[in-house]
mmCIF file of all heavy atoms in Angstrom:
data_model
loop_
_atom_site.group_PDB
_atom_site.id
_atom_site.type_symbol
_atom_site.label_atom_id
_atom_site.label_comp_id
_atom_site.label_asym_id
_atom_site.label_seq_id
_atom_site.Cartn_x
_atom_site.Cartn_y
_atom_site.Cartn_z
ATOM 1 N N PHE P 1 25.283 21.845 120.398
ATOM 2 C CA PHE P 1 26.053 21.262 119.331
ATOM 3 C C PHE P 1 25.712 19.963 118.959
ATOM 4 O O PHE P 1 25.535 19.601 117.801
ATOM 5 C CB PHE P 1 27.509 21.389 119.707
ATOM 6 C CG PHE P 1 28.469 20.791 118.661
ATOM 7 C CD1 PHE P 1 28.900 21.576 117.629
ATOM 8 C CD2 PHE P 1 29.046 19.446 118.759
ATOM 9 C CE1 PHE P 1 29.776 20.979 116.687
ATOM 10 C CE2 PHE P 1 29.825 18.944 117.903
ATOM 11 C CZ PHE P 1 30.204 19.754 116.764
ATOM 12 N N SER P 2 25.582 19.006 119.980
ATOM 13 C CA SER P 2 25.168 17.667 119.765
ATOM 14 C C SER P 2 23.821 17.528 119.206
ATOM 15 O O SER P 2 23.537 16.749 118.250
ATOM 16 C CB SER P 2 25.319 16.918 121.130
ATOM 17 O OG SER P 2 26.534 16.979 121.650
ATOM 18 N N VAL P 3 22.806 18.388 119.651
ATOM 19 C CA VAL P 3 21.526 18.326 119.109
ATOM 20 C C VAL P 3 21.439 18.773 117.674
ATOM 21 O O VAL P 3 20.773 18.067 116.849
ATOM 22 C CB VAL P 3 20.559 19.139 119.996
ATOM 23 C CG1 VAL P 3 19.153 19.350 119.288
ATOM 24 C CG2 VAL P 3 20.331 18.616 121.373
ATOM 25 N N LEU P 4 22.236 19.773 117.324
ATOM 26 C CA LEU P 4 22.155 20.318 115.955
ATOM 27 C C LEU P 4 22.705 19.186 115.016
ATOM 28 O O LEU P 4 22.223 18.977 113.907
ATOM 29 C CB LEU P 4 22.970 21.588 115.893
ATOM 30 C CG LEU P 4 22.248 22.861 116.104
ATOM 31 C CD1 LEU P 4 23.112 23.987 115.942
ATOM 32 C CD2 LEU P 4 20.992 22.941 115.141
ATOM 33 N N LEU P 5 23.853 18.583 115.444
ATOM 34 C CA LEU P 5 24.411 17.622 114.574
ATOM 35 C C LEU P 5 23.475 16.338 114.451
ATOM 36 O O LEU P 5 23.347 15.718 113.199
ATOM 37 C CB LEU P 5 25.727 16.983 115.152
ATOM 38 C CG LEU P 5 26.925 17.940 115.030
ATOM 39 C CD1 LEU P 5 28.253 17.301 115.447
ATOM 40 C CD2 LEU P 5 27.040 18.538 113.532
ATOM 41 N N LEU P 6 22.756 15.950 115.468
ATOM 42 C CA LEU P 6 21.812 14.845 115.365
ATOM 43 C C LEU P 6 20.633 15.228 114.428
ATOM 44 O O LEU P 6 20.185 14.428 113.610
ATOM 45 C CB LEU P 6 21.187 14.454 116.699
ATOM 46 C CG LEU P 6 22.188 13.767 117.736
ATOM 47 C CD1 LEU P 6 21.465 13.566 119.076
ATOM 48 C CD2 LEU P 6 22.586 12.293 117.069
ATOM 49 N N ILE P 7 20.192 16.487 114.538
ATOM 50 C CA ILE P 7 19.153 17.005 113.618
ATOM 51 C C ILE P 7 19.650 17.019 112.196
ATOM 52 O O ILE P 7 18.909 16.599 111.230
ATOM 53 C CB ILE P 7 18.644 18.375 114.064
ATOM 54 C CG1 ILE P 7 17.921 18.227 115.471
ATOM 55 C CG2 ILE P 7 17.843 19.024 112.985
ATOM 56 C CD1 ILE P 7 17.526 19.598 115.970
ATOM 57 N N TYR P 8 20.823 17.428 111.964
ATOM 58 C CA TYR P 8 21.391 17.369 110.598
ATOM 59 C C TYR P 8 21.430 16.047 109.993
ATOM 60 O O TYR P 8 21.103 15.882 108.840
ATOM 61 C CB TYR P 8 22.830 18.126 110.604
ATOM 62 C CG TYR P 8 23.521 18.043 109.333
ATOM 63 C CD1 TYR P 8 22.989 18.752 108.240
ATOM 64 C CD2 TYR P 8 24.622 17.314 109.128
ATOM 65 C CE1 TYR P 8 23.653 18.764 106.988
ATOM 66 C CE2 TYR P 8 25.299 17.227 107.957
ATOM 67 C CZ TYR P 8 24.780 18.084 106.821
ATOM 68 O OH TYR P 8 25.415 17.964 105.589
ATOM 69 N N MET P 9 21.952 14.994 110.818
ATOM 70 C CA MET P 9 21.903 13.767 110.337
ATOM 71 C C MET P 9 20.600 13.181 109.984
ATOM 72 O O MET P 9 20.358 12.542 108.921
ATOM 73 C CB MET P 9 22.529 12.753 111.450
ATOM 74 C CG MET P 9 23.982 13.067 111.563
ATOM 75 S SD MET P 9 24.733 12.092 112.992
ATOM 76 C CE MET P 9 24.406 10.481 112.520
ATOM 77 N N ALA P 10 19.600 13.638 110.804
ATOM 78 C CA ALA P 10 18.238 13.194 110.456
ATOM 79 C C ALA P 10 17.647 13.865 109.252
ATOM 80 O O ALA P 10 16.920 13.183 108.349
ATOM 81 C CB ALA P 10 17.248 13.495 111.710
ATOM 82 N N ILE P 11 18.035 15.071 108.970
ATOM 83 C CA ILE P 11 17.567 15.778 107.826
ATOM 84 C C ILE P 11 18.070 15.121 106.589
ATOM 85 O O ILE P 11 17.474 14.908 105.626
ATOM 86 C CB ILE P 11 17.979 17.221 107.947
ATOM 87 C CG1 ILE P 11 17.202 18.011 108.900
ATOM 88 C CG2 ILE P 11 17.839 17.922 106.501
ATOM 89 C CD1 ILE P 11 17.614 19.367 109.263
ATOM 90 N N VAL P 12 19.479 14.877 106.562
ATOM 91 C CA VAL P 12 20.123 14.320 105.488
ATOM 92 C C VAL P 12 19.565 12.921 105.147
ATOM 93 O O VAL P 12 19.233 12.607 104.000
ATOM 94 C CB VAL P 12 21.662 14.206 105.761
ATOM 95 C CG1 VAL P 12 22.316 13.348 104.608
ATOM 96 C CG2 VAL P 12 22.270 15.563 105.707
ATOM 97 N N ILE P 13 19.409 12.065 106.280
ATOM 98 C CA ILE P 13 18.963 10.664 106.040
ATOM 99 C C ILE P 13 17.494 10.677 105.512
ATOM 100 O O ILE P 13 17.158 9.984 104.516
ATOM 101 C CB ILE P 13 19.060 9.834 107.307
ATOM 102 C CG1 ILE P 13 20.506 9.658 107.638
ATOM 103 C CG2 ILE P 13 18.380 8.581 107.178
ATOM 104 C CD1 ILE P 13 20.748 9.131 109.032
ATOM 105 N N GLY P 14 16.676 11.441 106.121
ATOM 106 C CA GLY P 14 15.209 11.528 105.771
ATOM 107 C C GLY P 14 15.020 12.013 104.342
ATOM 108 O O GLY P 14 14.219 11.397 103.614
ATOM 109 N N ASN P 15 15.641 13.082 103.975
ATOM 110 C CA ASN P 15 15.448 13.677 102.708
ATOM 111 C C ASN P 15 16.179 12.924 101.517
ATOM 112 O O ASN P 15 15.562 12.764 100.419
ATOM 113 C CB ASN P 15 15.994 15.139 102.554
ATOM 114 C CG ASN P 15 15.038 16.071 103.319
ATOM 115 O OD1 ASN P 15 13.922 16.414 102.713
ATOM 116 N ND2 ASN P 15 15.353 16.520 104.417
ATOM 117 N N ILE P 16 17.294 12.319 101.783
ATOM 118 C CA ILE P 16 17.996 11.509 100.778
ATOM 119 C C ILE P 16 17.191 10.120 100.532
ATOM 120 O O ILE P 16 17.109 9.654 99.472
ATOM 121 C CB ILE P 16 19.409 11.181 101.195
ATOM 122 C CG1 ILE P 16 20.265 12.413 101.009
ATOM 123 C CG2 ILE P 16 20.008 9.928 100.434
ATOM 124 C CD1 ILE P 16 21.733 12.210 101.425
ATOM 125 N N LEU P 17 16.552 9.632 101.745
ATOM 126 C CA LEU P 17 15.680 8.482 101.565
ATOM 127 C C LEU P 17 14.552 8.718 100.653
ATOM 128 O O LEU P 17 14.196 7.966 99.815
ATOM 129 C CB LEU P 17 15.159 8.076 102.959
ATOM 130 C CG LEU P 17 14.272 6.857 103.025
ATOM 131 C CD1 LEU P 17 15.128 5.611 102.449
ATOM 132 C CD2 LEU P 17 13.774 6.540 104.385
ATOM 133 N N ILE P 18 13.910 9.943 100.721
ATOM 134 C CA ILE P 18 12.842 10.240 99.766
ATOM 135 C C ILE P 18 13.349 10.392 98.422
ATOM 136 O O ILE P 18 12.679 9.959 97.446
ATOM 137 C CB ILE P 18 12.255 11.674 100.276
ATOM 138 C CG1 ILE P 18 11.327 11.459 101.460
ATOM 139 C CG2 ILE P 18 11.285 12.183 99.070
ATOM 140 C CD1 ILE P 18 10.602 12.665 101.916
ATOM 141 N N ILE P 19 14.586 10.952 98.178
ATOM 142 C CA ILE P 19 15.101 11.114 96.777
ATOM 143 C C ILE P 19 15.387 9.730 96.178
ATOM 144 O O ILE P 19 15.075 9.446 95.044
ATOM 145 C CB ILE P 19 16.484 11.919 96.941
ATOM 146 C CG1 ILE P 19 16.188 13.418 97.295
ATOM 147 C CG2 ILE P 19 17.270 11.847 95.548
ATOM 148 C CD1 ILE P 19 17.446 14.156 97.606
ATOM 149 N N LEU P 20 15.830 8.810 97.023
ATOM 150 C CA LEU P 20 16.192 7.411 96.548
ATOM 151 C C LEU P 20 14.976 6.701 96.290
ATOM 152 O O LEU P 20 14.799 5.914 95.388
ATOM 153 C CB LEU P 20 17.050 6.696 97.568
ATOM 154 C CG LEU P 20 18.465 7.225 97.755
ATOM 155 C CD1 LEU P 20 19.168 6.391 98.888
ATOM 156 C CD2 LEU P 20 19.180 7.026 96.416
ATOM 157 N N LEU P 21 13.930 6.849 97.138
ATOM 158 C CA LEU P 21 12.607 6.153 96.940
ATOM 159 C C LEU P 21 11.964 6.553 95.623
ATOM 160 O O LEU P 21 11.438 5.735 94.859
ATOM 161 C CB LEU P 21 11.662 6.507 98.093
ATOM 162 C CG LEU P 21 11.764 5.782 99.417
ATOM 163 C CD1 LEU P 21 10.971 6.242 100.512
ATOM 164 C CD2 LEU P 21 11.790 4.308 99.190
ATOM 165 N N VAL P 22 11.947 7.923 95.389
ATOM 166 C CA VAL P 22 11.342 8.343 94.204
ATOM 167 C C VAL P 22 12.188 7.888 92.922
ATOM 168 O O VAL P 22 11.595 7.613 91.855
ATOM 169 C CB VAL P 22 11.157 9.877 94.138
ATOM 170 C CG1 VAL P 22 10.663 10.418 92.834
ATOM 171 C CG2 VAL P 22 10.242 10.366 95.334
ATOM 172 N N SER P 23 13.502 7.812 93.077
ATOM 173 C CA SER P 23 14.350 7.418 91.939
ATOM 174 C C SER P 23 14.239 5.971 91.552
ATOM 175 O O SER P 23 14.418 5.614 90.522
ATOM 176 C CB SER P 23 15.766 7.832 92.239
ATOM 177 O OG SER P 23 15.933 9.178 92.416
ATOM 178 N N THR P 24 13.991 5.150 92.537
ATOM 179 C CA THR P 24 14.099 3.683 92.409
ATOM 180 C C THR P 24 12.684 3.006 92.255
ATOM 181 O O THR P 24 12.582 1.884 91.872
ATOM 182 C CB THR P 24 14.852 3.017 93.483
ATOM 183 O OG1 THR P 24 14.288 3.352 94.769
ATOM 184 C CG2 THR P 24 16.276 3.512 93.510
ATOM 185 N N ASN P 25 11.655 3.645 92.829
ATOM 186 C CA ASN P 25 10.304 3.035 92.805
ATOM 187 C C ASN P 25 9.452 3.607 91.681
ATOM 188 O O ASN P 25 9.184 4.748 91.579
ATOM 189 C CB ASN P 25 9.644 3.315 94.208
ATOM 190 C CG ASN P 25 8.495 2.399 94.333
ATOM 191 O OD1 ASN P 25 7.613 2.373 93.582
ATOM 192 N ND2 ASN P 25 8.379 1.695 95.564
ATOM 193 N N SER P 26 9.048 2.627 90.778
ATOM 194 C CA SER P 26 8.349 2.997 89.663
ATOM 195 C C SER P 26 6.863 3.665 89.913
ATOM 196 O O SER P 26 6.374 4.533 89.251
ATOM 197 C CB SER P 26 8.096 1.843 88.699
ATOM 198 O OG SER P 26 7.459 0.790 89.281
ATOM 199 N N ASN P 27 6.396 3.251 91.148
ATOM 200 C CA ASN P 27 5.060 3.698 91.542
ATOM 201 C C ASN P 27 5.125 5.194 91.991
ATOM 202 O O ASN P 27 4.122 5.916 92.041
ATOM 203 C CB ASN P 27 4.465 2.933 92.649
ATOM 204 C CG ASN P 27 4.173 1.451 92.227
ATOM 205 O OD1 ASN P 27 3.796 1.288 91.111
ATOM 206 N ND2 ASN P 27 4.315 0.530 93.101
ATOM 207 N N LEU P 28 6.327 5.660 92.300
ATOM 208 C CA LEU P 28 6.510 7.049 92.744
ATOM 209 C C LEU P 28 6.970 7.943 91.697
ATOM 210 O O LEU P 28 7.161 9.180 91.943
ATOM 211 C CB LEU P 28 7.515 7.069 94.003
ATOM 212 C CG LEU P 28 7.078 6.280 95.236
ATOM 213 C CD1 LEU P 28 8.157 6.383 96.227
ATOM 214 C CD2 LEU P 28 5.746 6.757 95.786
ATOM 215 N N LYS P 29 7.029 7.481 90.418
ATOM 216 C CA LYS P 29 7.604 8.432 89.423
ATOM 217 C C LYS P 29 6.439 9.103 88.722
ATOM 218 O O LYS P 29 6.195 8.897 87.532
ATOM 219 C CB LYS P 29 8.445 7.530 88.338
ATOM 220 C CG LYS P 29 9.765 7.119 89.007
ATOM 221 C CD LYS P 29 10.572 6.333 87.973
ATOM 222 C CE LYS P 29 11.942 5.921 88.573
ATOM 223 N NZ LYS P 29 12.856 5.221 87.682
ATOM 224 N N ILE P 30 5.792 9.937 89.446
ATOM 225 C CA ILE P 30 4.684 10.780 89.068
ATOM 226 C C ILE P 30 5.071 12.145 89.397
ATOM 227 O O ILE P 30 5.920 12.423 90.290
ATOM 228 C CB ILE P 30 3.321 10.394 89.657
ATOM 229 C CG1 ILE P 30 3.430 10.427 91.264
ATOM 230 C CG2 ILE P 30 3.008 8.955 89.214
ATOM 231 C CD1 ILE P 30 2.036 10.145 91.827
#
């Protein structure tokens, strides 16, 4: 249970970070 929740948090943080990077960085808007 603990491992799955940690993995879930890592998934959300990692993927949302990519979404935010592409949304806010002009060099990534390709």
Side-chain angles (χ1 to χ4, degrees):
F1 177 81
S2 303
V3 169
L4 272 178
L5 286 188
L6 288 174
I7 290 175
Y8 175 65
M9 291 172 62
I11 290 171
V12 172
I13 292 170
N15 284 285
I16 287 182
L17 184 59
I18 286 181
I19 293 171
L20 293 176
L21 283 174
V22 176
S23 300
T24 58
N25 194 306
S26 58
N27 294 329
L28 298 180
K29 290 184 178 178
I30 59 176

